[in-house]
Amino acid sequence: MPHWLVIDLEATTDEGGWPVTEMEIIEIGATLVDRKGQELDHFQCFVRPLRRPLLTPFCRELTHITQANIDAAQPLTDVWSSFERWLGQHHARLEGWASWGDYDRKQLLQDWQRLQLDSALSRVPHMNLKQRFAKARRLERPLGLNGALQLAGLQFNGQQHRALEDARNTARLLPLVFPANP
């Protein structure tokens, strides 16, 4: 049975947002699911930002990630190595990976290039689930994750703006974009 990886990243930011080029990953959450959205495995890890190591008050409030969480974390090069080792055991059955919107894909591409990291994910198709869900539901414009869950008759589980919880909630919408009989 094919598997899908749903990834969500939390990153440094401030009120009003920062350009992706200024943001650094502070948490990676990933859930490996089947096409029905059932979790088979997961990965979660904090990441220590190097360019702006102090989280803004806005970022701490939004994500509920503390400065202590980040100070105790490894930099992205080390965390990504751990992620790749974890992913390696699942890679053969991986059909693709998804994220809610395109931010996560762009952030990863930027960081892989900046840090000269090779990733198995760069050779796996990516699905922008936000766009795919909007198309499947014939919406005029895409919804935020919470709005899409509500439209599907679901409630958000867990703490919003935490990587693993966001990835798990995103994965709940994955089955709704696949044909009933693949």
Side-chain angles (χ1 to χ4, degrees):
M1 173 178 268
H3 299 162
W4 277 81
L5 186 69
V6 179
I7 293 181
D8 185 79
L9 306 173
E10 298 304 325
T12 56
T13 190
D14 205 353
E15 205 158 359
W18 288 345
V20 173
T21 54
E22 297 293 315
M23 298 168 79
E24 290 179 90
I25 297 170
I26 57 173
E27 186 182 26
I28 298 171
T31 180
L32 184 78
V33 296
D34 62 21
R35 277 179 159 246
K36 294 178 183 146
Q38 294 297 309
E39 186 172 86
L40 307 166
D41 200 357
H42 67 271
F43 179 94
Q44 184 279 332
C45 198
F46 292 114
V47 180
R48 183 165 30 98
L50 301 178
R51 291 180 291 170
R52 292 187 186 176
L54 290 179
L55 298 181
T56 64
F58 175 82
C59 186
R60 290 193 313 268
E61 189 175 319
L62 177 71
T63 63
H64 298 272
I65 295 173
T66 67
Q67 189 64 49
N69 293 143
I70 297 311
D71 290 344
Q74 297 294 314
L76 184 59
T77 49
D78 296 341
V79 172
W80 199 256
S81 293
S82 299
F83 177 82
E84 289 285 335
R85 280 192 301 279
W86 171 79
L87 183 60
Q89 63 192 325
H90 304 296
H91 193 266
R93 290 184 301 281
L94 199 58
E95 185 174 357
W97 70 283
S99 58
W100 193 257
D102 215 26
Y103 157 74
D104 305 272
R105 183 188 67 81
K106 288 179 179 176
Q107 184 73 50
L108 286 173
L109 284 173
Q110 170 189 284
D111 289 346
W112 295 337
Q113 289 174 342
R114 185 173 56 85
L115 299 169
Q116 298 180 335
L117 298 173
D118 180 44
S119 177
L121 282 186
S122 67
R123 296 177 288 283
V124 175
H126 173 264
M127 181 197 316
N128 178 334
L129 193 53
K130 184 178 189 176
Q131 293 292 340
R132 190 79 170 262
F133 181 83
K135 188 176 178 184
R137 292 293 173 113
R138 295 180 170 81
L139 304 176
E140 283 186 32
R141 57 187 184 86
L143 298 171
L145 178 57
N146 215 5
L149 286 165
Q150 289 174 10
L151 184 64
L154 303 169
Q155 291 288 319
F156 191 97
N157 292 333
Q159 177 69 55
Q160 290 185 48
H161 302 295
R162 286 303 303 272
L164 184 56
E165 283 89 342
D166 284 357
R168 284 175 167 158
N169 280 285
T170 300
R172 295 167 66 203
L173 296 170
L174 193 63
L176 304 180
V177 303
F178 291 129
N181 297 312

